[in-house]
Amino acid sequence: GHIVRNWKVRWFVLLQDKLLYYKIEGGKKEPHPKGKILLDGCTITCPCLEYENRPLLIKLKTKTNTDYFLECCSREERDSWALDITGAIHAGHPVQVQELHKMKNSFKLLESISLHHIVEEMCDNSTGIKLTHNLEQGSRYKETFTGSALVDWLISHSFAVSRLEAVTLASMLMEENFVKPVGARSTEAMRYSDLSEQFLDDSTALYMFAENSNKNISSKEELQFNIAELSGTIVKQGFLVKQGHKRKNWKVRKFVLRADPAFLHYYDPTKEENRPVGGFSLRGCLISALEDNGVPAGVKGNVQGNLFKIITKNDIHYYIQASSKAERTQWIEAIKPLT
């Protein structure tokens, strides 16, 4: 509202040169508009981050410097309205509209992008991303931000022009250890999802700056989650060679197979801390030996043979080499009953 700064539900109709809004009475819009926003000379800001607790805003500033704040029901709806309103603002310039749609639907990151610069901007006290206390499944996390808040921030600060670009940038920040997931939602995506789906553009997925992670005590639920994974009876353990998901290189890992619950974890033998660097639930997995005649699809680099593959229920493929056919058979026979 312009006089009383409260928020009211209005029915909006977008025309070529104006945005009309109507009052709703008895579930129906009134026949005559309550007001209109002339789009000629308007500027649009989306995402608009002026209200910390309202991430779904579009801001319109008319050429007479009147500000309108419109709140949508979802990010998808907000972005759709913003694109259509922008198209109406530039309706007299069809080439510009065409270029706008190309830009929104294209995928082109900045050529000379600096992740360090982005993180510096994110940490700025006045214009950086807002760090808040968030609650997830009964656990409280300090100095965190949601995945969708980071995507909004990257777009609003012109580091990306689309959500796809922003998600890719956020994934790069996470891969280079500037940002890390916290809480079950984002941690599970990082652990079990494909590389392109590890960062979540989601208002329930929590992240934080990696440098702040040591300041935060792990929540009781997160500790229980890890303890539950690692509490099973050890069925088998030993050294195997595993192909990495990101760089597709091969590294020696110590594998530990547990039952009740059934998990396969792997550890970096060069590190003293007794914490797994990865792992996954075996429920619903498929495991099979790979023939040694030729390199199977999906496998790269130095392959000595004795390969086997595990496909998780989330369709993540793990390629592992044993030192001999006998050892490969032993691992397959030990894992199969637990899937």
Side-chain angles (χ1 to χ4, degrees):
H2 285 293
I3 300 170
V4 180
R5 295 287 181 175
N6 54 357
W7 296 85
K8 295 178 180 177
V9 176
R10 294 287 182 255
W11 181 268
F12 279 83
V13 176
L14 176 61
L15 303 180
Q16 188 170 359
D17 60 344
K18 63 176 89 56
L19 190 60
L20 304 178
Y21 53 94
Y22 298 77
K23 286 183 71 174
I24 304 288
E25 291 292 342
K28 295 182 179 180
K29 75 179 181 71
E30 293 188 340
H32 303 292
K34 172 76 175 173
K36 62 184 177 183
I37 304 170
L38 297 177
L39 298 177
D40 180 43
C42 255
T43 57
I44 183 170
T45 303
C46 178
C48 172
L49 307 181
E50 291 189 28
Y51 288 83
E52 287 182 30
N53 60 340
R54 294 183 180 272
L56 304 179
L57 287 185
I58 296 171
K59 178 182 177 182
L60 290 175
K61 181 185 281 290
T62 68
K63 66 179 179 182
T64 59
N65 288 326
T66 303
D67 290 339
Y68 291 87
F69 293 92
L70 316 177
E71 184 173 36
C72 300
C73 297
S74 68
R75 281 179 167 79
E76 293 76 18
E77 187 183 51
R78 179 198 66 187
D79 294 346
S80 175
W81 270 100
L83 191 60
D84 290 335
I85 292 170
T86 306
I89 291 171
H90 299 298
H93 308 279
V95 174
Q96 195 169 351
V97 176
Q98 191 176 15
E99 289 300 317
L100 172 80
H101 280 266
K102 281 183 182 177
M103 181 181 73
K104 287 290 184 183
N105 295 320
S106 68
F107 183 80
K108 184 182 179 184
L109 288 172
L110 297 173
E111 291 181 6
S112 56
I113 198 157
S114 167
L115 297 181
H116 288 278
H117 174 63
I118 292 175
V119 173
E120 285 177 5
E121 292 291 316
M122 285 175 66
C123 294
D124 187 277
N125 289 330
S126 57
T127 61
I129 193 165
K130 304 300 180 187
L131 301 180
T132 58
H133 290 201
N134 283 287
L135 197 67
E136 187 199 77
Q137 297 179 356
S139 306
R140 188 173 295 278
Y141 298 93
K142 299 178 180 179
E143 296 184 326
T144 58
F145 45 86
T146 66
S148 50
L150 176 52
V151 170
D152 284 348
W153 186 90
L154 290 169
I155 295 171
S156 68
H157 286 72
S158 302
F159 289 113
V161 298
S162 68
R163 302 196 79 77
L164 177 60
E165 282 189 18
V167 167
T168 303
L169 258 184
S171 300
M172 292 166 64
L173 290 170
M174 194 165 66
E175 188 175 349
E176 295 301 322
N177 203 34
F178 291 109
V179 169
K180 67 173 292 180
V182 289
R185 179 92 170 84
S186 55
T187 303
E188 284 180 14
M190 177 71 176
R191 188 174 298 169
Y192 301 127
S193 297
D194 184 63
L195 185 61
S196 61
E197 300 171 349
Q198 287 185 348
F199 180 85
L200 300 176
D201 179 6
D202 191 295
S203 59
T204 64
L206 301 181
Y207 298 89
M208 70 182 343
F209 291 116
E211 63 184 26
N212 292 341
S213 62
N214 293 332
K215 303 175 187 176
N216 284 262
I217 301 172
S218 297
S219 70
K220 190 180 293 183
E221 280 76 6
E222 198 169 18
L223 281 173
Q224 287 174 349
F225 176 74
N226 290 326
I227 290 170
E229 273 193 20
L230 302 172
S231 64
T233 304
I234 295 178
V235 176
K236 184 174 177 60
Q237 56 184 315
F239 292 96
L240 297 165
V241 183
K242 173 187 163 294
Q243 180 177 266
H245 286 293
K246 297 174 184 177
R247 295 183 178 87
K248 303 297 182 184
N249 52 353
W250 293 87
K251 291 183 179 178
V252 174
R253 293 289 181 251
K254 179 186 176 184
F255 279 80
V256 177
L257 175 63
R258 293 181 172 89
D260 299 323
F263 273 85
L264 183 63
H265 291 98
Y266 47 94
Y267 299 73
D268 185 345
T270 65
K271 294 182 179 179
E272 293 183 6
E273 58 185 31
N274 191 32
R275 290 177 57 85
V277 294
F280 50 92
S281 169
L282 290 172
R283 182 174 295 177
C285 282
L286 297 173
I287 182 169
S288 61
L290 297 176
E291 297 301 327
D292 293 338
N293 53 347
V295 179
V299 175
K300 296 182 179 179
N302 185 22
V303 180
Q304 303 296 325
N306 307 313
L307 273 172
F308 62 98
K309 177 171 72 171
I310 301 175
I311 305 175
T312 70
K313 66 177 181 179
N314 295 323
D315 198 34
I316 302 172
H317 294 224
Y318 289 85
Y319 294 98
I320 302 168
Q321 295 185 59
S323 60
S324 66
K325 285 187 177 181
E327 186 182 45
R328 176 177 68 180
T329 302
Q330 290 169 9
W331 274 101
I332 291 174
E333 289 179 352
I335 292 170
K336 259 187 178 175
L338 302 177
T339 61

